[in-house]
Amino acid sequence: MNSNRLGTTGLDVSDVGLGTFEWGHRVDGRDAQRLVDAYAEAGGNLLELPSSGLHAAEILGQVDLPDAVSVMGRVGVSLSESSHIELGLGRARILDQVAELLRAIGRDHLDVLVLDVFDAEVDRSETASAIDTLLTLGTVRYVGVSHHTGWQLAEMRGAGIPIACAISEYSLLNRDADAELGPACDYAGIGFIAGAGLGRGVLADKYQRGTPQDSRLAGELSDYVSPYLDDRASRVLAGVRRAAAALGVSTTDIALAFNRERGIASTLVSARTPEQLNQVMGSDVTLEPEIAEVLEQIS
């Protein structure tokens, strides 16, 4: 397991992070513990947690997190009592959600606090004040953002929020961040963390011969996966298969290697089983420049 410095901070993170997207869906508390244990044993040190009140948060209290694993928790999104999704970065919401996450995981701090939404209605100074309070108390060590554009990232920094990293979906099937957010991070020395690094599971090539019954596409997450099963994605995946065959590795290896080659600090992968996770954690393929260039062009 390799590690990278998160932007210009002093925090080193594993090049593969453990996501919790499946927690509360197809991963219960027992399975989550198995995943965390396998991840830590393989040397992984970055666990992404959801905003409080969402599906995964319901089982956080059932999982014992190793001290060596840094916790990255999201705030800004929550569910109301009527199951309505609420968004916002007001002071009260941020402080309350941080407190909820810390109670759930039994820790006194979050290694990285992620602002999971850009709130245009709350003055940035109020958000910055809440962050300053948390940093001063030591309740939060570093701050990141998610679902932000490049100009929104600049606005948050301009408000005095010391942003260490930005999270955005990024893979061979989704390179939207290359247009604005990626260059903004490079310019500001901000670490980039890739969400859905395996193209929502499609780059694992599990749908080549149909839809496995235990796959996301076969269940309640079908709408999440199906956008990556169009003609363009098929052409990209065909190129990934050719690269994998030439190197004698899997398409998963190629997908992870591409992100590493692009300078991604950590790629989040939401494995459902320890077997899936071990395949990802054991991936250490390095792409030759010629192959990397071809993949860059086809994607």
Side-chain angles (χ1 to χ4, degrees):
M1 174 64 60
N2 297 315
S3 64
N4 299 304
R5 187 60 57 88
L6 190 62
T8 56
T9 73
L11 181 64
D12 290 323
V13 296
S14 304
D15 61 0
V16 173
L18 179 59
T20 57
F21 181 75
E22 294 277 14
W23 292 21
H25 291 286
R26 298 186 299 165
V27 174
D28 59 20
R30 182 179 179 182
D31 290 335
Q33 186 67 66
R34 294 173 61 211
L35 287 168
V36 169
D37 291 343
Y39 179 69
E41 184 177 349
N45 77 341
L46 183 64
L47 176 70
E48 174 218 25
L49 301 181
S51 292
S52 59
L54 303 185
H55 293 292
E58 298 174 1
I59 60 176
L60 289 179
Q62 306 172 38
V63 181
D64 181 24
L65 302 178
D67 292 338
V69 174
S70 295
V71 174
M72 182 168 64
R74 296 174 181 258
V75 297
V77 181
S78 61
L79 287 179
S80 66
E81 293 183 359
S82 60
S83 297
H84 175 70
I85 295 180
E86 298 179 345
L87 309 175
L89 291 178
R91 181 180 179 85
R93 181 187 298 273
I94 291 173
L95 298 181
D96 287 347
Q97 288 193 327
V98 169
E100 289 176 25
L101 281 172
L102 293 178
R103 281 195 296 270
I105 63 177
R107 288 192 175 185
D108 61 4
H109 72 275
L110 294 174
D111 295 282
V112 182
L113 174 67
V114 177
L115 307 177
D116 204 18
V117 61
F118 180 77
D119 189 348
E121 297 182 1
V122 171
D123 194 286
R124 248 64 80 203
S125 64
E126 179 175 336
T127 301
S129 172
I131 297 302
D132 183 64
T133 296
L134 293 168
L135 291 170
T136 300
L137 292 174
T139 309
V140 165
R141 302 287 175 83
Y142 296 97
V143 181
V145 296
S146 181
H147 301 110
H148 280 58
T149 63
W151 73 263
Q152 291 169 343
L153 176 71
E155 277 220 4
M156 299 299 272
R157 293 183 72 239
I161 301 174
I163 298 173
C165 65
I167 304 174
S168 178
E169 185 168 347
Y170 192 89
S171 72
L172 280 157
L173 296 181
N174 186 336
R175 296 183 52 200
D176 292 347
D178 282 342
E180 182 183 347
L181 183 60
C185 288
D186 289 342
Y187 176 80
I190 292 172
F192 188 96
I193 296 178
L198 295 180
R200 306 184 183 183
V202 173
L203 289 170
D205 209 15
K206 62 179 65 178
Y207 302 113
Q208 184 176 11
R209 297 180 178 85
T211 303
Q213 290 302 307
D214 63 345
S215 67
R216 292 173 178 172
L217 187 62
E220 61 181 357
L221 298 175
S222 60
D223 289 344
Y224 175 70
V225 177
S226 56
Y228 285 178
L229 296 174
D230 59 9
D231 290 341
R232 175 192 171 276
S234 296
R235 291 192 294 271
V236 173
L237 190 51
V240 174
R241 290 191 192 111
R242 288 194 292 272
L247 296 178
V249 298
S250 70
T251 55
T252 295
D253 290 321
I254 297 298
L256 294 173
F258 180 80
N259 276 15
R260 284 195 295 269
E261 194 274 337
R262 301 293 292 179
I264 305 297
S266 185
T267 295
L268 299 176
V269 176
S270 298
R272 184 171 56 86
T273 67
E275 291 73 26
Q276 292 176 343
L277 182 61
N278 288 335
Q279 179 185 7
V280 171
M281 298 291 285
S283 179
D284 60 356
V285 173
T286 299
L287 297 177
E288 293 295 330
E290 295 80 4
I291 294 179
E293 176 63 23
V294 170
L295 291 171
E296 197 280 333
Q297 292 178 7
I298 65 170
S299 65

